[in-house]
Amino acid sequence: MPPKPKFSREEIVDAALDIVSREGVSALTARELGEKLGSSPRPIFTVFKSMDEVMQAVREEAMRRYDAYVSRAKDYFPSFKAIGIFMLRFAKEQPKLFNLLFMQENSQARRFDDIFASLGDTASLSIDFVMSGYGLTVEEAHFLFQYVWTFTYGLSVQCATGMCDYSEEELVSMLGNEFMSIMSFMKSGIRNNVITTLRPVRRDDPEATFDPFKKT
């Protein structure tokens, strides 16, 4: 008969998450987790097969907490902008967890669709907010979300790493400017007519031409 677990799965994950949130992913070892639980590492492995399995459970719980934190945006208007603000606040308040969720290598991601699939419930919630709040189609909502999220992600990384210490007023303004830029571009009706894939050419190449207004 296998030994009865000394700690529940929830107790182990909570302890591991506390270590990661305070000290980062690299600090989560079997020894550190055992000490956090007031035990040797052995009881951990009556519940989990390996530390990789513990880490996966920590990621899932961290994403659940992130989704719960950001989903409060539904109580605000405009809700889509509120999601961006909550994302930035999370990056400031929980930089180690933000790093775990959004700054670790993702070997499965090749396109933005892959990233979207890994963003948890918040991504789908954002699409719903954009479609209902601004009358966009699914395709338009995904286009808007991709560019606004990418911009917001860049700001969030700066906040999480301490590269910049923007005030919330500055962040609100920057998010608003980015949102209005993309929305105006979409509503202008020129999105499908403007060439955005032209590559810059070397100035000293006599055969190269670069005309951003030339249609192919």
Side-chain angles (χ1 to χ4, degrees):
M1 180 179 294
K4 182 179 180 180
K6 184 176 181 180
F7 304 104
S8 68
R9 178 184 178 88
E10 291 73 21
E11 288 173 325
I12 295 172
V13 171
D14 284 347
L17 192 59
D18 185 63
I19 292 173
V20 172
S21 67
R22 289 186 295 103
E23 303 176 45
V25 174
S26 61
L28 183 57
T29 64
R31 180 177 179 180
E32 288 295 322
L33 183 53
E35 290 183 359
K36 177 70 177 177
L37 292 165
S39 172
S40 70
R42 183 174 298 178
I44 299 167
F45 301 109
T46 62
V47 179
F48 293 93
K49 294 179 181 178
S50 66
M51 285 303 295
D52 285 342
E53 192 174 288
V54 173
M55 181 57 73
Q56 180 58 36
V58 168
R59 285 194 182 94
E60 291 171 359
E61 177 60 18
M63 181 60 78
R64 188 193 68 77
R65 295 187 185 187
Y66 170 78
D67 281 336
Y69 184 93
V70 176
S71 69
R72 293 181 294 170
K74 64 180 179 294
D75 298 325
Y76 294 81
F77 179 83
S79 296
F80 183 56
K81 188 171 187 178
I83 282 183
I85 296 300
F86 278 117
M87 179 177 176
L88 290 161
R89 285 182 184 171
F90 186 89
K92 279 190 169 187
E93 295 170 7
Q94 295 288 347
K96 304 297 186 184
L97 294 187
F98 185 88
N99 183 301
L100 169 68
L101 292 174
F102 302 115
M103 295 170 65
Q104 298 293 305
E105 180 180 357
N106 184 351
S107 61
Q108 304 303 313
R110 292 294 179 269
R111 301 177 302 157
F112 187 79
D113 287 347
D114 300 321
I115 297 175
F116 183 88
S118 70
L119 293 181
D121 295 339
T122 300
S124 298
L125 191 64
S126 296
I127 296 299
D128 290 342
F129 286 155
V130 171
M131 291 178 65
S132 62
Y134 303 97
L136 302 184
T137 65
V138 173
E139 187 271 336
E140 289 171 335
H142 276 270
F143 179 90
L144 178 72
F145 177 81
Q146 176 177 347
Y147 286 93
V148 174
W149 186 88
T150 301
F151 178 81
T152 307
Y153 173 76
L155 288 178
S156 298
V157 170
Q158 293 180 57
C159 292
T161 59
M163 182 179 293
C164 293
D165 186 21
Y166 298 110
S167 68
E168 185 148 321
E169 290 73 19
E170 290 175 309
L171 293 171
V172 168
S173 178
M174 285 189 282
L175 288 184
N177 288 337
E178 175 67 9
F179 176 84
M180 288 305 300
S181 296
I182 301 301
M183 182 64 81
S184 297
F185 178 62
M186 293 175 61
K187 293 295 186 180
S188 69
I190 65 172
R191 178 161 70 97
N192 295 324
N193 298 321
V194 173
I195 300 172
T196 59
T197 57
L198 287 175
R199 294 177 180 273
V201 297
R202 288 184 59 87
R203 295 180 183 275
D204 58 0
D205 185 347
E207 297 183 1
T209 58
F210 177 69
D211 183 356
F213 300 104
K214 181 181 179 180
K215 296 183 180 180
T216 58

